[in-house]
Amino acid sequence: LPNVGTMGPFGILPSPATLPSLQASARQEGLPSVISMGSSGLVPTFLPAVPRLPLPDSVLSVPVRGPLRQGHDRKLPRLLHVSSDDDVLSPYQCLVRKQIELFEASEADIHATAQGRNRPIILKQVGIRCVHCGRFPIEKRARGAVYFPSTLMSTYQTAQNMANSHLIKDCLAIPKSIREDLIRIRLRENSESQNTRKSAFGGGRTYWARGLQTNHGVIETNDRRLKFDPSSIVDR
């Protein structure tokens, strides 16, 4: 192409007098025109066409993780929220469950200080943690990010404690928009009639406990701990 302009920070900035000839030359060379921001406003920029390459099979075959495969991955960690929550629980409880995941204690967890325990944690014991910071080293996460409930039924109240303190007040990693939604939805549900809303408080306790076993494969042990047993998951 002829030297008909200067190079700006976003591409070639043609002069108005030479723009028609530059456009013609670009068409002959098969160069597409796009718009970039120049020093005096939007100007045409001419760049070589970049071919769109197909994704390699190694990328396309990477398995999807998280909620989309939750019903198929018989392992932890896994998000507490499941699709049936939307039919049973209130929007606030559903949003809370989307911020919490189930996990198995590692060696690092055994030696760390975590809420909800008055005796040592054992390897592979199941707990709940904040999806935003629960995997951080203990010195880098806010208090209340990890709990180890002792029973299925107590998990509901433990999660409420996490929501009321950690998620709404203390977590430094949770997006501001999610924290604001938690506060707004909770205030709205508190003002609604108990007779017109879904289970927002104690009424969902049994659902939480049953779902831990049938949806996530979490069971109670004789020594009052939770453990992962994938054989207890009920396929739907």
Side-chain angles (χ1 to χ4, degrees):
L1 294 178
N3 184 13
V4 292
T6 59
M7 178 62 72
F10 299 97
I12 302 172
L13 307 180
S15 64
T18 58
L19 182 57
S21 61
L22 184 59
Q23 289 174 326
S25 298
R27 284 193 294 268
Q28 293 176 359
E29 296 292 335
L31 301 179
S33 62
V34 296
I35 298 297
S36 292
M37 179 64 73
S39 58
S40 59
L42 290 174
V43 295
T45 300
F46 297 92
L47 301 171
V50 178
R52 302 184 66 178
L53 300 177
L55 290 174
D57 292 339
S58 58
V59 174
L60 295 175
S61 61
V62 173
V64 178
R65 298 296 179 188
L68 291 179
R69 283 181 52 86
Q70 181 171 310
H72 303 283
D73 285 343
R74 291 175 175 259
K75 60 184 178 180
L76 300 183
R78 54 195 290 143
L79 196 66
L80 189 57
H81 180 268
V82 294
S83 59
S84 60
D85 293 353
D86 300 328
D87 299 323
V88 179
L89 301 176
S90 71
Y92 174 74
Q93 291 297 328
C94 290
L95 186 56
V96 166
R97 287 165 66 90
K98 291 177 181 178
Q99 317 312 314
I100 299 174
E101 66 181 1
L102 296 155
F103 74 104
E104 292 179 293
S106 64
E107 292 286 352
D109 296 310
I110 293 175
H111 300 292
T113 300
Q115 282 73 31
R117 83 188 200 200
N118 52 15
R119 56 181 176 162
I121 299 302
I122 64 174
L123 190 66
K124 298 290 187 178
Q125 182 174 339
V126 171
I128 61 173
R129 66 188 177 193
C130 170
V131 299
H132 305 288
C133 72
R135 302 190 190 200
F136 293 175
I138 187 171
E139 67 274 9
K140 294 185 178 181
R141 66 188 186 219
R143 64 183 302 273
V146 176
Y147 286 87
F148 288 93
S150 59
T151 65
L152 294 174
M153 288 295 288
S154 67
T155 304
Y156 167 85
Q157 188 56 53
T158 303
Q160 305 315 302
N161 296 340
M162 179 185 291
N164 293 334
S165 58
H166 178 78
L167 294 175
I168 289 180
K169 299 177 182 178
D170 298 327
C171 183
L172 302 178
I174 186 172
K176 180 181 178 181
S177 60
I178 295 179
R179 172 174 283 141
E180 291 175 345
D181 283 344
L182 285 168
I183 296 172
R184 176 180 54 82
I185 296 173
R186 186 176 69 169
L187 289 174
R188 185 188 67 199
E189 291 183 0
N190 286 344
S191 66
E192 293 177 353
S193 169
Q194 292 279 352
N195 297 324
T196 59
R197 60 192 172 105
K198 297 178 183 177
S199 298
F201 300 102
R205 194 183 306 268
T206 302
Y207 173 85
W208 280 59
R210 185 186 303 115
L212 283 171
Q213 180 171 346
T214 59
N215 293 324
H216 301 295
V218 177
I219 62 172
E220 293 179 19
T221 62
N222 292 333
D223 58 348
R224 291 177 61 82
R225 286 185 170 93
L226 300 183
K227 67 174 292 186
F228 182 55
D229 178 13
S231 66
S232 65
I233 297 177
V234 178
D235 290 322
R236 292 177 175 83

